[in-house]
Amino acid sequence: MTPYDAPFNVSTPKAAADSRAPLVDPFARAIRYLRVSVTDRCDLRCLYCMPERMTFLPKAEVLSIEELERLCSTFIGLGVQKLRLTGGEPLMRKGFLELVEQLSRHLRSGALRELTLTTNGTRLAEFAGELARLGIKRINVSVDTLDAAEFRRITRGGDLAQVIAGIDAAQAAGLKVKINTVALAQDNRAEIPALMAWAHGRGMDMTLIETMPVGEVEQDRTDQFVSLAEIRRDLSAVWTLTDIADNTGGPARYARVEETGGRIGFITPLSHNFCDSCNRVRVTCTGTLHTCLGQDDDTDLRAMLRDHPGDDGPLIAAIRGGIEKKPKGHDFRIARGEGPAVARHMSTTGG
Ligand code: SAM
Ligand code: SF4
């Protein structure tokens, strides 16, 4: 048991006064999970994620590796036990391995239970060995189709073979890989049962995600939206799915597929709201804290990092102030003609 397993008692003045007291939001949800976008840049341009001519942020606006390290370490000091590095494409970020190396000390100390990343896999073959050496045990790799031409079209130019080579390298290095797939009504719905069989056949769990209305893209997302309840029906026509308890505290609901022995997760922000047990917050690559993916609440942590280089007090106070604003939940809707629920792209916020 770590000190962070202790029950919270935020209402006592002592806890409130303790600058190291763990983070608890107004709905008594303990914040254990941080996702940080380390860059808004990406080598792919997935149709549902960003426009073809995406305007990326000026470098000066993006947190440096040192700032990212300080920020993450501060959250870990406040009880965050799971840290996911994402983007944009995290493996495109210069200095990414140094960041992982710095943060891996929290794994060794026991403060951090898991350091992980979500990647599109294009550069994984190059990085997998080092990531494993630095203490990363599991990663998520996003794959929406196994058809090379479709992959090229959906990602606007991606090379599926590179991603498969990345997955091969990750598994060879001992990393546990989970496949993330965005369910798209026209682009991959028919392929999802086969995609799942492929993933399970390679010993990889799979998580399906409903397309979310975040950031402008060139297409109307209504055309691509398909409820995961429908996908589950598709899968159940072929396999036996048995619900299993979700102990990750995350938004996914899991089922075991009896015939394959693999797990399938469903992230359903639109058709089934998952906010009650939400234990996570996100920080963008510009150092803005968002306590909810689907609401426009934000807290500027970059100013605290840059204005107070030798003093974490103002940063901690800003983090606490942000957590106090964490909303009860979001109410994403996806409706024809309606723009995105929030303007920022997933690549900036960190999916
Ligand atoms: N580039 C990396 C990748 O693709 O895995 C990490 C960042 S990406 C933003 C993280 C995840 O968000 C990916 O699995 C991607 O498919 C998903 N994603 C991006 N835009 C989305 C959207 N509008 N709705 C749902 N999922 C989205
Ligand atoms: Fe890049 Fe990931 Fe967005 Fe695709 S989903 S464009 S790989 S950030």
Side-chain angles (χ1 to χ4, degrees):
M1 176 158 151
T2 73
Y4 301 129
D5 288 324
F8 291 110
N9 187 358
V10 279
S11 56
T12 63
K14 186 174 175 301
D18 178 0
S19 70
R20 292 282 148 180
L23 299 168
V24 181
D25 80 0
F27 303 96
R29 294 171 297 194
I31 307 304
R32 303 295 202 185
Y33 184 178
L34 172 68
R35 289 186 177 218
V36 177
S37 173
V38 299
T39 177
D40 62 328
R41 284 162 200 264
C42 189
D43 51 339
L44 303 182
R45 298 284 184 281
C46 300
L47 292 168
Y48 52 79
C49 180
M50 56 173 83
E52 187 157 19
R53 286 196 181 74
M54 179 74 174
T55 312
F56 293 111
L57 294 161
K59 250 196 186 148
E61 287 193 24
V62 175
L63 297 185
S64 67
I65 292 295
E66 294 70 27
E67 288 167 338
L68 284 165
E69 193 278 322
R70 183 176 160 211
L71 179 88
C72 293
S73 295
T74 303
F75 270 98
I76 293 164
L78 295 172
V80 160
Q81 296 174 333
K82 177 169 174 179
L83 174 59
R84 179 175 299 278
L85 302 174
T86 178
E89 176 45 41
L91 298 181
M92 294 288 290
R93 175 65 203 255
K94 203 159 168 257
F96 181 72
L97 282 182
E98 285 95 290
L99 176 63
V100 173
E101 178 142 38
Q102 289 283 326
L103 292 173
S104 67
R105 74 178 187 278
H106 300 297
L107 289 172
R108 290 190 295 277
S109 79
L112 194 59
R113 287 186 180 165
E114 185 170 27
L115 177 58
T116 185
L117 68 146
T118 301
T119 172
N120 64 25
T122 59
R123 301 192 66 190
L124 200 48
E126 204 180 311
F127 285 97
E130 269 302 276
L131 293 173
R133 188 187 68 78
L134 292 171
I136 290 190
K137 303 255 181 286
R138 302 191 302 172
I139 58 171
N140 287 359
V141 181
S142 302
V143 180
D144 297 326
T145 175
L146 290 175
D147 178 311
E150 268 300 280
F151 187 86
R152 202 172 310 113
R153 187 180 69 77
I154 295 174
T155 59
R156 297 199 186 90
D159 178 1
L160 179 67
Q162 240 177 336
V163 176
I164 303 294
I167 293 172
D168 292 343
Q171 290 191 314
L175 296 173
K176 200 159 170 45
V177 177
K178 185 162 86 178
I179 298 297
N180 274 1
T181 301
V182 176
L184 301 162
Q186 289 144 28
D187 291 342
N188 69 1
R189 176 176 180 173
E191 198 195 329
I192 287 176
L195 197 54
M196 190 201 76
W198 166 79
H200 287 186
R202 294 193 52 149
M204 305 183 290
D205 289 336
M206 181 186 199
T207 300
L208 295 166
I209 311 168
E210 283 175 350
T211 173
M212 298 178 222
V214 290
E216 284 289 354
V217 289
E218 276 124 354
Q219 54 181 208
D220 185 339
R221 286 193 177 89
T222 339
D223 296 332
Q224 283 290 4
F225 178 74
V226 52
S227 153
L228 291 189
E230 287 183 55
I231 302 288
R232 189 174 170 135
R233 272 194 292 277
D234 294 352
L235 291 169
S236 298
V238 190
W239 284 291
T240 318
L241 271 60
T242 309
D243 285 328
I244 47 178
D246 165 28
N247 55 10
T248 63
R253 297 287 163 263
Y254 288 96
R256 177 154 316 277
V257 180
E258 299 301 339
E259 293 83 353
T260 64
R263 295 198 315 163
I264 178 99
F266 300 91
I267 300 186
T268 53
L270 284 113
S271 62
H272 180 266
N273 176 307
F274 51 62
C275 306
D276 285 354
S277 60
C278 181
N279 65 351
R280 64 190 57 198
V281 295
R282 292 175 161 80
V283 177
T284 68
C285 56
T286 56
T288 302
L289 170 66
H290 291 290
T291 58
C292 177
L293 188 57
Q295 302 268 7
D296 266 326
D297 79 299
D298 53 55
T299 304
D300 179 14
L301 302 180
R302 186 180 61 192
M304 299 302 136
L305 285 162
R306 292 190 177 170
D307 296 349
H308 305 276
D311 176 10
D312 287 342
L315 175 63
I316 292 172
I319 292 172
R320 289 198 188 285
I323 300 296
E324 271 164 28
K325 289 188 290 184
K326 185 167 166 67
K328 191 154 190 280
H330 64 71
D331 57 353
F332 273 145
R333 328 188 296 130
I334 197 155
R336 195 167 296 283
E338 273 186 23
V342 291
R344 57 184 192 272
H345 288 92
M346 194 75 105
S347 50
T348 306
T349 313

